[in-house]
Amino acid sequence: IEESSFSNCDHLTSVTFSKGSKLVTIEKNTFSYTSLEKIIIPYQITHIKEGAFSCCKQLKSVEFPKNSKLEIIDKDAFSKTLIEEISFPAQVRVIGERAFNECYNLSSIEFPQNSKLRSICKEAFYKTSLSKVMIPSSVTQVGEGCFSYCDCLKTVRFSPDTKLDSIESRMFFSSSIQRITIPSNIKRIGAYAFSVCEKLTAVEFTSNSKLQVIGKHAFSCSAIESISIPSHVHSIEECAFVSCENLNAIKFAQDSELANIEKDAFSYTSIVRIIIPSSVVKIGEYSFACCEELKNVDFAKNSNLTIIEREAFASSSIVKFSVPPKVTQIGEYAFSDRENLKSVDFPTECK
């Protein structure tokens, strides 16, 4: 069946494949923009190509037989349909970009325990009604924006032996996740990964976390109340926690490897006290700006801090500040716009 063979057949409501069908591929746009209401994919189909069932505005049900050989669901394959739930065959290895994009009624997806899924690509489930997701252990890649704008998504779980090593950009942007446990293998949380998750109050890391980088805006505008930064994190990028208005406590590991706190990392939060790890060499501009509850800033012994950039602590409520001995630069307006600051101490060996 050649690509687009039945595309835009407005009155096509049913398709039946014969039991002896030798068809192994459903080609690009084959049934797009039709009025199909239900489809049973034959067991021998291995590849559903790009847009095969996209924009089928009446399509509510997609079924796969238990012995399905399906391996690839290509990009936009079922996008903008009325599918309500789907159980993926064990042999599926790839779910392509936007495969179920804007399936607003899709509330449930299931993967078998023996799933061979490797990749869930960019925006695969963007703007769906999923309420929970369990990522199979076989998955090595979940693309950026995959579950973004999933307004009903409250629970995300990763298999204990997950092979994922990163949470990509915008993966859960503007979802309704309430709490998340980051798997130990994750080394990077990408930009905007959990941004605007307005119901996200708790983020937990395992004791053996390998996390190294918290990307820009990773948790911005979320409802996080406290966070413990894993020891191997060496960079908190700009605006990582900006405008987390409920965030009142941050804890760093004693053996923290953190080197840089970048621009606006914790600005507009409700932090009351912060102890900067000895490994930190730079506090970026506006890092703790407009933290109106921030009264105490302490530094771990043997601090390596050398740079405090402009307006780093502007509009905070710090009363007393002791400059670490290795600091060589304090930027413009670093402590401006507050009358609370009464004392600044410089050690004799200060550079």
Side-chain angles (χ1 to χ4, degrees), residues 72-286:
I72 300 173
I73 300 174
D74 228 325
K75 65 181 181 179
D76 289 301
F78 294 98
S79 65
K80 300 179 181 179
T81 62
L82 295 180
I83 296 172
E84 296 174 351
E85 60 182 18
I86 193 159
S87 295
F88 291 97
Q91 300 300 319
V92 172
R93 294 183 291 104
V94 178
I95 298 174
E97 290 184 21
R98 303 182 303 279
F100 297 89
N101 168 56
E102 295 184 34
C103 291
Y104 296 115
N105 292 352
L106 181 59
S107 61
S108 175
I109 57 175
E110 292 186 2
F111 301 98
Q113 287 188 338
N114 60 340
S115 174
K116 295 183 179 178
L117 187 63
R118 294 289 184 269
S119 297
I120 306 175
C121 298
K122 179 180 177 180
E123 296 180 352
F125 296 99
Y126 172 89
K127 284 191 177 181
T128 61
S129 293
L130 295 174
S131 61
K132 61 181 179 179
V133 172
M134 173 65 182
I135 309 293
S137 60
S138 56
V139 173
T140 59
Q141 176 196 4
V142 180
E144 61 183 70
C146 189
F147 299 99
S148 59
Y149 292 102
C150 290
D151 295 339
C152 299
L153 184 59
K154 296 180 179 180
T155 305
V156 176
R157 290 191 176 92
F158 300 90
S159 174
D161 54 345
T162 182
K163 295 177 176 61
L164 283 175
D165 64 4
S166 66
I167 294 178
E168 297 296 334
S169 301
R170 299 181 296 104
M171 189 182 292
F172 300 104
F173 180 87
S174 193
S175 68
S176 294
I177 295 174
Q178 297 174 344
R179 62 187 304 121
I180 188 82
T181 299
I182 307 297
S184 60
N185 286 342
I186 298 297
K187 295 181 180 179
R188 180 182 179 87
I189 299 175
Y192 297 92
F194 296 93
S195 182
V196 200
C197 290
E198 296 179 349
K199 296 182 180 179
L200 179 61
T201 59
V203 178
E204 297 176 357
F205 301 95
T206 58
S207 59
N208 58 342
S209 174
K210 297 178 182 177
L211 187 66
Q212 298 176 4
V213 178
I214 299 176
K216 65 179 183 179
H217 285 276
F219 295 97
S220 63
C221 302
S222 68
I224 295 173
E225 296 172 356
S226 64
I227 191 145
S228 295
I229 307 296
S231 60
H232 296 302
V233 172
H234 58 73
S235 181
I236 298 176
E237 295 186 350
E238 64 181 75
C239 301
F241 296 91
V242 68
S243 297
C244 291
E245 295 179 356
N246 296 337
L247 180 59
N248 57 56
I250 303 168
K251 184 178 180 180
F252 297 98
Q254 287 188 339
D255 57 346
S256 174
E257 298 172 11
L258 184 64
N260 297 310
I261 301 174
E262 298 292 353
K263 177 182 176 182
D264 276 303
F266 296 101
S267 61
Y268 293 95
T269 62
S270 296
I271 299 168
V272 176
R273 182 186 181 191
I274 187 80
I275 302 176
I276 308 295
S278 60
S279 55
V280 172
V281 296
K282 185 187 78 170
I283 297 176
E285 57 187 68
Y286 314 109

Side-chain angles (χ1 to χ4, degrees), residues 305-334:
L305 186 67
T306 58
I307 299 173
I308 299 173
E309 292 192 340
R310 61 173 290 130
E311 297 188 54
F313 296 98
S315 300
S316 66
S317 295
I318 298 171
V319 176
K320 180 180 179 180
F321 191 88
S322 296
V323 180
K326 294 183 180 179
V327 170
T328 59
Q329 175 185 327
I330 298 177
E332 295 179 326
Y333 310 108

